[in-house]
């Protein structure tokens, strides 16, 4: 299933909105971390509760960072014209699935198979190697390697 230009623009707007929310939340996290650090210097807080809150905040921050990377990859896919394709099999991801998670990487069948510990992963590996996103990633790596070689000269 190929997405229409209208649907692609819709998902691009949603991805950019999600990205803005996560970037804003990261900025708030940094601000709170700075304020917490400063307040700790001024007073003797309960270290156990402060550590628990910091661990929780770091967990949220790490999840947001991972989601931000996935969102950026999805935006890149829009630019390459391959948004909505499963990275594993290359087939289209359903619009309903993209509505739920606009940065999703796999169709429901491949996601289900990936979650199954007994599934045959050899076929999926072959499918991934020929998927459009795998070709983009290989192209990026070769361009990056060429850039590094050029920089050495």
């Amino acid at each position: 299933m190929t997405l229409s230009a209208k649907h692609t623009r819709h998902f691009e707007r949603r991805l950019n909105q999600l990205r803005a929310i996560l970037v804003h939340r990261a900025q708030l996290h940094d601000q709170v971390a700075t304020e917490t650090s400063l307040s700790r210097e001024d007073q003797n807080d309960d270290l156990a509760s402060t550590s628990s809150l910091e661990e929780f905040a770091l967990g949220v921050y790490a999840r947001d960072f991972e989601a931000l990377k996935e969102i950026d990859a999805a935006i890149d896919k829009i630019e390459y014209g391959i948004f909505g394709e499963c990275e594993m099999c290359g087939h289209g991801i359903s619009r309903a699935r993209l509505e739920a998670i606009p940065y999703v990487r796999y169709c429901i069948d491949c996601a289900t198979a990936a979650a199954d510990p007994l599934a045959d992963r050899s076929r999926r590996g072959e499918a991934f190697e020929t998927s459009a996103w795998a070709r983009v990633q290989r192209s990026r790596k070769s361009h990056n390697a060429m850039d590094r070689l050029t920089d050495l000269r």
Side-chain angles (χ1 to χ4, degrees):
M1 172 198 78
T2 303
L3 294 173
S4 69
K6 176 184 169 186
H7 288 114
T8 301
R9 282 191 308 276
H10 163 74
F11 286 116
E12 185 173 21
R13 280 191 302 275
R14 287 213 41 223
L15 288 163
N16 283 314
Q17 289 169 347
L18 286 172
R19 188 179 197 296
I21 290 167
L22 293 177
V23 167
H24 179 70
R25 205 158 53 185
Q27 291 167 340
L28 289 176
H29 176 270
D30 290 344
Q31 181 182 355
V32 168
T34 301
E35 290 171 5
T36 302
S37 173
L38 292 174
S39 74
R40 195 178 297 149
E41 292 174 2
D42 294 341
Q43 52 188 297
N44 200 2
D45 291 318
D46 177 17
L47 290 177
S49 65
T50 302
S51 292
S52 294
L53 286 172
E54 287 175 351
E55 282 183 40
F56 175 76
L58 284 174
V60 170
Y61 188 73
R63 280 192 307 279
D64 285 354
F65 181 73
E66 288 303 312
L68 195 55
K69 288 190 322 188
E70 295 294 327
I71 289 167
D72 286 342
I75 292 169
D76 285 347
K77 290 177 188 178
I78 290 172
E79 291 175 17
Y80 283 101
I82 56 173
F83 177 77
E85 289 182 16
C86 176
E87 287 183 22
M88 207 169 289
C89 70
H91 293 113
I93 299 171
S94 72
R95 273 203 347 250
R97 185 160 169 77
L98 289 169
E99 284 293 344
I101 310 168
Y103 51 89
V104 70
R105 297 168 59 192
Y106 307 114
C107 68
I108 192 68
D109 292 337
C110 289
T112 302
D116 182 359
L118 302 177
D120 177 17
R121 287 180 169 68
S122 62
R123 274 191 42 236
R124 285 199 319 274
E126 291 169 13
F128 173 75
E129 287 305 313
T130 60
S131 73
W133 188 238
R135 291 192 303 274
V136 167
Q137 295 299 345
R138 282 194 301 274
S139 172
R140 280 185 171 174
K141 286 178 185 175
S142 67
H143 286 301
N144 289 341
M146 291 302 291
D147 290 343
R148 282 192 295 264
L149 286 174
T150 305
D151 291 342
L152 292 175
R153 291 183 181 161

